[in-house]
């Protein structure tokens, strides 16, 4: 088992890529904390992991709210004793072409996608620094390279990569790695919210000519969360079927 007894927090773990990551981590022996907004769905994922014979804790948490994040991390420590892995996966879109984009749409996306990562890292990094071990994975997006209608989202996803590089340099001497994953078109609620015509074009705009599955992203996240990536930090891995080959 690649994550035996490791304590892993997955934000946005109740659906999509986060949910698949929770199950993948549980299969690899991790104690999984599902931190998400929606109580019913958090409980559903927690129960599924327990039914698989794994250990899980569902916590209702809004990553854009510092008190909520601090309480979630405290509950994790009270229950499992520590935090080894943090997956900053919670993310939202509020798409609009820039001249129609409202300040509210801009702020909502920044509050969740970037400020939420700041709050989670603020709460978890001191624990990892103290123990001299940690794995943090941030979920960016192929949109970091630019995508019309997503000025707010692209800015946060590109920002996450700069954050990842800086934090990797700061935390490397403390035994903590930070990497990012940039998914392309993955079949989740977020992707299905895109108009069908655009979805079809997007899904075929890659070398593999199809959208990705949540499991394919979860496998890449697992690599960065495990000790198999022990000499890799500050990287952003495209999991996009070959859209971008930077
Ligand atoms: N699906 C794609 O094609 C795709 C592509 C590139 C990047 N991504 C990124 O992958 C991540 C997961 O996306 P997904 O497609 O699985 O999305 P999803 O909408 O299926 O799931 C996102 C989860 O995050 C939770 N969430 C939203 N706001 C939250 C908050 N404030 N606090 C806590 N939880 C919150 C939601 O409740 C939901 O369970 C996101 O960061 C997204 O930007 C997705």
């Amino acid at each position: 088992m690649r994550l035996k007894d490791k304590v892993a927090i997955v934000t946005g773990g109740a659906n999509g890529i986060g949910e698949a990551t929770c199950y993948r981590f549980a299969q690899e022996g991790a104690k999984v904390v599902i931190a998400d907004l929606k109580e019913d769905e958090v409980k559903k994922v927690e129960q599924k992991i327990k039914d698989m014979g794994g250990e899980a804790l569902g916590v209702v948490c809004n990553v854009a709210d510092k008190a909520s994040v601090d309480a979630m991390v405290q509950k994790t420590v009270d229950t499992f004793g520590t935090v080894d892995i943090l997956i900053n996966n919670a993310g939202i879109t509020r798409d609009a072409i820039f001249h129609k984009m409202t300040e509210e749409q801009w702020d909502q996306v920044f509050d969740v996608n970037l400020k939420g990562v700041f709050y989670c890292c603020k709460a978890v990094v001191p624990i990892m620094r103290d123990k001299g071990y940690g794995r943090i994975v941030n979920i960016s997006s192929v949109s970091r390279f630019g995508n019309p209608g997503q000025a707010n989202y692209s800015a946060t996803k590109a920002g996450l990569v700069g954050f990842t590089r800086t934090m990797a340099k700061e935390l490397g001497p403390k035994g903590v790695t930070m990497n990012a994953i940039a998914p392309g078109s993955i079949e989740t609620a977020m992707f299905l919210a895109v108009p069908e015509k655009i979805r079809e074009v997007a899904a075929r705009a890659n070398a593999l000519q199809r959208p990705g599955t949540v499991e394919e992203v979860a496998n890449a996240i697992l690599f960065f969360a495990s000790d198999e990536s022990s000499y890799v930090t500050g990287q952003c891995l495209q999991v996009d079927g070959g859209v971008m080959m930077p």
Side-chain angles (χ1 to χ4, degrees):
M1 286 193 173
R2 292 149 81 185
L3 303 181
K4 183 97 186 93
D5 294 330
K6 292 280 195 284
V7 178
I9 295 173
V10 182
T11 70
N15 286 286
I17 293 167
E19 181 181 2
T21 302
C22 289
Y23 300 142
R24 193 72 190 85
F25 281 15
Q27 284 170 353
E28 295 293 339
K31 299 172 186 179
V32 182
V33 178
I34 308 117
D36 203 295
L37 287 174
K38 303 168 188 166
E39 186 166 16
D40 291 356
E41 295 177 17
V42 163
K43 291 285 159 209
K44 174 200 73 185
V45 178
E46 181 189 69
Q47 194 53 51
K48 270 198 179 180
I49 292 174
K50 287 180 175 166
D51 292 345
M52 289 161 59
E55 283 189 72
L57 172 71
V59 186
V60 176
C61 171
N62 177 4
V63 297
D65 176 345
K66 183 179 186 307
S68 178
V69 169
D70 288 348
M72 178 272 292
V73 173
Q74 189 57 53
K75 202 165 175 192
T76 301
V77 172
D78 291 346
T79 307
F80 292 134
T82 190
V83 184
D84 300 293
I85 298 164
L86 168 65
I87 311 300
N88 286 309
N89 165 77
I92 60 167
T93 51
R94 293 291 182 271
D95 294 353
I97 205 79
F98 185 71
H99 68 272
K100 292 187 179 165
M101 187 175 285
T102 63
E103 189 174 344
E104 193 188 9
Q105 287 173 318
W106 181 270
D107 286 344
Q108 283 175 341
V109 171
F110 269 72
D111 284 351
V112 176
N113 296 11
L114 267 183
K115 196 71 180 282
V117 171
F118 172 77
Y119 288 144
C120 290
C121 288
K122 270 285 181 190
V124 165
V125 163
I127 298 169
M128 293 180 170
R129 284 177 62 101
D130 281 355
K131 64 196 274 182
Y133 180 88
R135 296 274 179 269
I136 302 176
V137 186
N138 299 319
I139 309 305
S140 177
S141 166
V142 70
S143 295
R144 73 193 172 104
F145 293 110
N147 195 24
Q150 293 197 315
N152 49 359
Y153 183 77
S154 304
T156 61
K157 294 301 184 180
L160 271 181
V161 177
F163 178 73
T164 301
R165 290 176 174 164
T166 295
M167 292 290 281
K169 289 185 177 185
E170 290 189 11
L171 296 175
K174 299 289 175 192
V176 180
T177 66
M178 184 182 280
N179 290 287
I181 296 280
S185 297
I186 311 300
E187 286 170 322
T188 67
M190 181 179 280
F191 181 60
L192 292 173
V194 174
E196 196 178 342
K197 265 191 182 167
I198 300 177
R199 234 165 46 217
E200 273 174 20
V201 175
R204 298 208 168 275
N206 64 59
L208 298 179
Q209 297 275 291
R210 63 170 177 84
T213 66
V214 288
E215 290 78 16
E216 288 173 314
V217 183
N219 282 333
I221 296 172
L222 172 62
F223 171 66
F224 283 145
S226 76
D227 287 335
E228 287 166 16
S229 61
S230 52
Y231 201 54
V232 184
T233 194
Q235 303 303 307
C236 181
L237 176 66
Q238 293 296 127
V239 182
D240 63 5
V243 179
M244 298 304 295
M245 301 188 188

